[in-house]
Amino acid sequence: MDILESQPNSTMPEPSDSSQGPPKKRGVPEGLWLKCPGCGTSVYKKEVEQRLNVCPKCEHHFYVSAADRITQVVDEGTFEAMYEHLQPTDPLEFSDRKRYAERLVGEQKRTGLSDAAITGVGMIRARRVALAVTDSAFIMGSMGSVVGERLARLIEHATAQNLPLIIISASGGGARMHEGILSLMQMAKVSAALARYDSAGGLFISVLTNPTMGGVAASFASLGDLVFAEPKALIGFAGPRTIKATIGIELPEGFQTSEFLLEHGYIDRIVPRKHLKTEIARAIDYCGK
Ligand SMILES: [Zn+2]
């Protein structure tokens, strides 16, 4: 990963526009209808929303914000956010197409999030859990210092309180290159916290959603005792074009999808969104937590 990580684009999505939020709906006016990227048909937006943002025709799983995800999986009114006081800064005074400090303010305004992860505690079908969700709308859900620190503290809290830990990843951006080495070290820090949690007997369920890439996929997201993935999610390290440019090999079609990864033993189960809450609760019970 060293070679790949040293290229600024390697942990960024392709094309690497970090200001890009959820996928734009091209060719269909904003409002009542959505064009489904899965089946290409126009679907009634309200109906999609009622089905947890899943296409009624083809079961394509649309983007879900971190806040909506929490609403979907946590028992109503039980979620308490933690570590919101940790706010991102621009320690390297980094600039690409715009200054990172400005980008942060813009992303915060646009998404209503302070950074790309929400962490806290709540109940899932009356089972108390520590929960983190990353949001691909905030600089592609990438992990900078704040995401890493919130996760590490949550894992330490779960260790101390003996809580099952659920992390739902939607991070196309991997490690956040705007913070350089400070973002890369979050991979080690969060992984170390998970190792201590594991030694203490904790149960970590990692849920991979579209997309989970780069330094996020290469650290905590792959370290679950159980790894679930949503159908047809893009999961991998570098994007196919980066790999091709680096090693000059054409890779099999669909090699970074949930289905391919299940077939090759990288994940444990594909769980459609409508079953996620139930399946997390069931796994907690099976594992006696
Ligand atoms: Zn569809």
Side-chain angles (χ1 to χ4, degrees), residues 3-168:
I3 300 168
L4 296 171
E5 286 282 25
S6 68
Q7 298 173 349
N9 282 337
S10 68
T11 55
M12 302 296 284
E14 296 177 359
S16 62
D17 183 0
S18 57
S19 67
Q20 195 175 304
K24 302 259 185 312
K25 306 128 198 165
R26 290 190 185 86
V28 176
E30 288 287 326
L32 290 177
W33 298 87
L34 287 174
K35 178 144 176 151
C36 172
C39 58
T41 56
S42 290
V43 284
Y44 192 40
K45 194 174 170 188
K46 266 234 168 73
E47 194 182 353
V48 171
E49 284 167 2
Q50 281 162 0
R51 303 182 81 251
L52 311 176
N53 278 14
V54 174
C55 174
K57 301 244 161 48
C58 74
E59 300 292 314
H60 171 78
H61 284 46
F62 286 90
Y63 161 82
V64 167
S65 71
D68 285 348
R69 179 72 74 172
I70 289 168
T71 307
Q72 289 178 6
V73 299
V74 172
D75 299 345
E76 198 179 344
T78 63
F79 186 75
E80 298 162 50
M82 295 163 81
Y83 319 120
E84 281 288 315
H85 64 286
L86 299 172
Q87 296 288 318
T89 59
D90 179 15
L92 306 182
E93 297 181 9
F94 186 86
S95 196
D96 49 15
R97 261 164 280 175
K98 61 171 118 167
R99 288 171 49 231
Y100 178 47
E102 276 173 38
R103 187 180 294 283
L104 283 171
V105 174
E107 294 287 284
Q108 288 172 337
K109 279 198 186 134
R110 192 174 58 77
T111 62
L113 296 164
S114 55
D115 207 311
I118 300 179
T119 50
V121 291
M123 311 282 271
I124 295 182
R125 299 222 187 281
R127 293 147 187 89
R128 192 166 171 76
V129 302
L131 174 70
V133 183
T134 67
D135 192 321
S136 64
F138 193 102
I139 315 188
M140 293 309 293
S142 55
M143 174 165 63
S145 309
V146 169
V147 171
E149 186 63 19
R150 284 182 185 168
L151 290 173
R153 289 191 192 191
L154 183 76
I155 296 163
E156 283 165 5
H157 181 74
T159 310
Q161 301 291 316
N162 197 21
L163 294 175
L165 170 71
I166 321 297
I167 303 180
I168 303 176

